[in-house]
Amino acid sequence: MINHPDGDASSTPVRTLIVSDDAAGTRLDLYLAQSCDGYSRSQIRDAVQAGAAQIDGRVVRPSFKVKAGQEIRFHVPPPAIDETIPENIPLDILFEDDGMIVVNKPPGMVVHPARGHWNGTLTAALAFRFQSLSDVGGATRPGIVHRLDRDTSGVIVVAKTNAVHLDLSEQFAERTTDKEYFAIATTPIDRDRDLIDQPIGNHPHQRDKQAIRHDHATSRPAQTFFEVIERHGRFTLVKLSPKTGRTHQLRVHLAHIGSPILCDRLYAGHAVVTASELRGKRVSPDESPILTRQALHARRLTLTHPFSKQRMTFEAPIPDDIQAAIDILHG
């Protein structure tokens, strides 16, 4: 609870909190999200990452586990004032109950509104279809527990209630979920399986990219286990199991080992591929591309159901565009 605020939130951004006994061991960002009404966990996490929280006089990270009796001084961010505008967009629902929804997100769909992408989002489609969604993530991210890149398809889980949202968020934060992705890489990976353990941070020159960065302020540990499924000439079908969830993690890690994902505009240097290119033949001038986005698909997600506490696995089939590329490689 807020023990003695330094002032009303509308007049001052600073709040002081004393950690109670029953909150001991909670991640700082989760504790603040539960303690400060009107602020999403993502807002709070970003603020803490920027140095907005001090515990007993020192700046700490969002993952810091609080202890009973500690004093937290938190410069809260302004609450979100934007709202999601519902849009009648079809959704492929893999699972739904009273607490959560599992969606097979199509490629090309942005998860929530962002610069340059205000319409056609997953949140807009969810707001149209469902009456109740969690608001832990803020007004523009109803129900959103985690995200996929715009051109990555596949399984994404959405929370209907705040309690379910916080439970699922904690599972992702504590890495108790199991995520499996499918990708087509652009070189024959020489190892059958391996762990890529390289930190990821902001790219030094391009704002929309991430990069392998050691000992940088934005660097965070990142681990991806990969396993080769098949090799076809200069292409490799690969299963990816991220142990962490950094921005662009799979794309950056595969590029780092010299095998960027097929049609990855940012990290492979091309955005389309034709059937002739996949076959290693000359491309005719009038040939249409067979794939126009990164060949990356979130195939499976395993988590513990917040209500039943049973482990559940959700699977999204390989989408048609990636399957077409696979069929050509098999041919």
Side-chain angles (χ1 to χ4, degrees):
M1 59 175 288
I2 296 176
N3 187 53
H4 51 279
D6 290 340
D8 186 89
S10 63
S11 61
T12 174
V14 181
R15 292 186 180 182
T16 301
L17 304 92
I18 302 297
V19 180
S20 60
D21 291 341
D22 59 357
T26 305
R27 280 175 56 107
L28 176 60
D29 56 352
L30 177 59
Y31 173 76
L32 291 173
Q34 294 172 330
S35 302
C36 301
D37 293 335
Y39 303 95
S40 70
R41 186 175 178 185
S42 61
Q43 283 181 295
I44 287 175
R45 182 172 56 247
D46 291 344
V48 174
Q49 190 69 40
Q54 292 183 334
I55 293 184
D56 296 335
R58 65 187 181 95
V59 175
V60 292
R61 289 180 174 271
S63 58
F64 180 88
K65 300 295 182 62
V66 300
K67 299 177 182 178
Q70 287 182 320
E71 179 181 282
I72 303 173
R73 288 178 58 83
F74 180 48
H75 293 258
V76 295
I81 57 175
D82 294 330
E83 294 183 357
T84 297
I85 300 175
E87 297 180 59
N88 187 6
I89 303 170
L91 289 175
D92 181 8
I93 305 297
L94 301 175
F95 174 85
E96 180 189 358
D97 65 8
D98 292 340
M100 67 184 193
I101 311 146
V102 182
V103 178
N104 179 16
K105 187 187 84 67
M109 174 180 276
V110 176
V111 171
H112 55 75
R115 178 171 54 91
H117 303 284
W118 304 111
N119 302 313
T121 64
L122 175 61
T123 54
L126 291 167
F128 181 89
R129 181 161 179 165
F130 298 100
Q131 297 297 313
S132 176
L133 295 167
S134 75
D135 60 7
V136 172
T140 60
R141 303 184 183 190
I144 301 303
V145 178
H146 64 124
R147 59 184 296 274
L148 298 175
D149 294 338
R150 178 186 64 182
D151 288 330
T152 299
S153 54
V155 181
I156 185 169
V157 63
V158 177
K160 286 185 174 181
T161 70
N162 287 357
V164 167
H165 192 132
L166 293 171
D167 185 295
L168 293 172
S169 293
E170 191 69 8
Q171 291 186 50
F172 280 100
E174 297 297 328
R175 304 176 189 175
T176 60
T177 59
D178 293 321
K179 295 167 284 186
E180 179 187 311
Y181 289 72
F182 173 88
I184 304 177
T186 55
T187 67
I189 299 175
D190 58 355
R191 290 152 288 175
D192 287 341
R193 60 188 60 83
D194 203 354
L195 176 70
I196 306 171
D197 188 354
Q198 294 290 337
I200 293 176
N202 294 343
H203 193 280
H205 308 300
Q206 295 177 258
R207 188 174 66 177
D208 58 346
K209 293 182 68 173
Q210 300 290 292
I212 302 298
R213 304 200 71 177
H214 296 269
D215 301 321
H216 188 267
T218 63
S219 297
R220 300 179 69 188
Q223 298 87 33
T224 301
F225 180 80
F226 73 82
E227 183 173 356
V228 170
I229 301 171
E230 298 172 353
R231 296 180 179 89
H232 296 277
R234 63 187 183 92
F235 300 100
T236 304
L237 310 187
V238 61
K239 179 173 72 174
L240 302 165
S241 300
K243 306 306 178 184
T244 51
R246 311 307 179 207
T247 300
H248 296 180
Q249 176 176 317
L250 303 180
R251 300 162 65 188
V252 173
H253 273 172
L254 281 186
H256 174 72
I257 65 171
S259 300
I261 294 173
L262 181 67
C263 294
D264 189 332
R265 178 182 59 84
L266 284 179
Y267 301 101
H270 66 278
V272 300
V273 70
T274 65
S276 294
E277 289 174 298
L278 290 174
R279 296 185 178 106
K281 298 181 179 180
R282 184 186 299 273
V283 181
S284 62
D286 59 346
E287 186 174 2
S288 298
I290 194 165
L291 188 65
T292 60
R293 55 97 175 192
Q294 63 221 24
L296 181 61
H297 178 66
R299 191 170 188 175
R300 293 188 182 92
L301 174 64
T302 300
L303 50 80
T304 300
H305 193 282
F307 294 158
S308 68
K309 302 305 177 183
Q310 297 296 310
R311 293 292 280 179
M312 300 182 70
T313 297
F314 307 99
E315 181 171 349
I318 299 295
D320 291 344
D321 57 350
I322 294 180
Q323 188 61 54
I326 295 171
D327 292 343
I328 291 171
L329 293 175
H330 282 165

